[in-house]
Structure formats: C-alpha cells, structure tokens
Amino acid sequence: QVQLVESGGGLVQAGGSLRLSCAASGRAFSTYAMDWFRQAPGKEREFVAQISWSVVTTFYADSVKGRFTISRDNAKNTLYLQMNSLKPEDTAVYFCAASRRISSWPDDMDYWGKGTLVTVSS
C-alpha cells in the first residue's frame, strides 16, 4: 500500500514558476514508476510527466516538454514537478500517481494522491 499526498499548488501569474511535491508513505516507493497527471475543469485527466523507479528515464507530454521537470528523491520518498514558464492553460488539479509498470495511461496507475490545485492567471 502506498499513500500519496501532493503539495505546492497555488496561484501564480503567467510566466511564473511553481514546484509541486508528492510525499509517499511506505517502503516500496523506490520500486514504483511515478507519474504526474492533471485535470482541468470540464476536461479529462491527462498525462503530464513520468519518471522510472531508477530515475534513469523520464517522459513528458508535448504540452509541457521544455518547461516542466520531473524528479524524485527515493531516500526522502518524494516526487517533484518543477513547473516553469507557466501558462493559463496549465491551470488544473495536479495529481501524482504510482505504478508498477511504465505507462502514461491513468487506468494503469495503482495509487493516486488527492491532488493539488494550480491556477495560472493571465
């Protein structure tokens, strides 16, 4: 069992930056691939970024590539998402998720956090 708690969301102006964190409970954190997803009002949940359990591999949605950076600290059981050059269209609830497999599909995730709201004003 893995419990995930996101933090770091808030209100930021376009062009600004935020860093999201996802604290994980349990000893098995380093054995899970970790993902960030987001869901804007009235839209489906979409993939944002992924990092493998070994930190070797990362993968990003085209919409955030070059602006967002995913990272993890397995010693601290924490996942991060550094978001730079934020745009109003990045406004959404951001969720972290854990999976035993490498996947960008929400249905493949084993555990989810409850999300943190990011609002980007124009």
Side-chain angles (χ1 to χ4, degrees), residues 9-121:
L11 174 64
V12 63
Q13 288 188 332
S17 298
L18 279 176
R19 188 175 85 154
L20 305 182
S21 298
C22 172
S25 66
R27 299 178 180 177
F29 175 73
S30 62
T31 66
Y32 286 87
M34 297 296 298
D35 291 55
W36 286 100
F37 290 82
R38 66 186 181 186
Q39 188 165 17
K43 295 188 176 181
E44 293 186 352
R45 193 166 298 189
E46 66 173 358
F47 169 77
V48 174
Q50 176 188 90
I51 188 166
S52 64
W53 41 82
S54 63
V55 196
V56 171
T57 304
T58 57
F59 182 64
Y60 297 91
D62 287 343
S63 58
V64 306
K65 199 173 296 182
R67 300 188 298 122
F68 291 11
T69 302
I70 188 171
S71 62
R72 67 190 294 169
D73 185 337
N74 287 339
K76 295 183 178 179
N77 278 12
T78 305
L79 173 74
Y80 303 99
L81 185 68
Q82 177 67 43
M83 305 186 295
N84 299 328
S85 302
L86 283 161
K87 305 174 181 180
E89 51 264 43
D90 294 319
T91 294
V93 177
Y94 284 71
F95 300 88
C96 64
S99 175
R100 289 286 192 184
R101 70 184 77 179
I102 298 294
S103 174
S104 58
W105 292 101
D107 288 349
D108 288 340
M109 300 298 111
D110 297 306
Y111 301 101
W112 290 90
K114 294 184 178 181
T116 185
L117 176 62
V118 172
T119 304
V120 185
S121 62

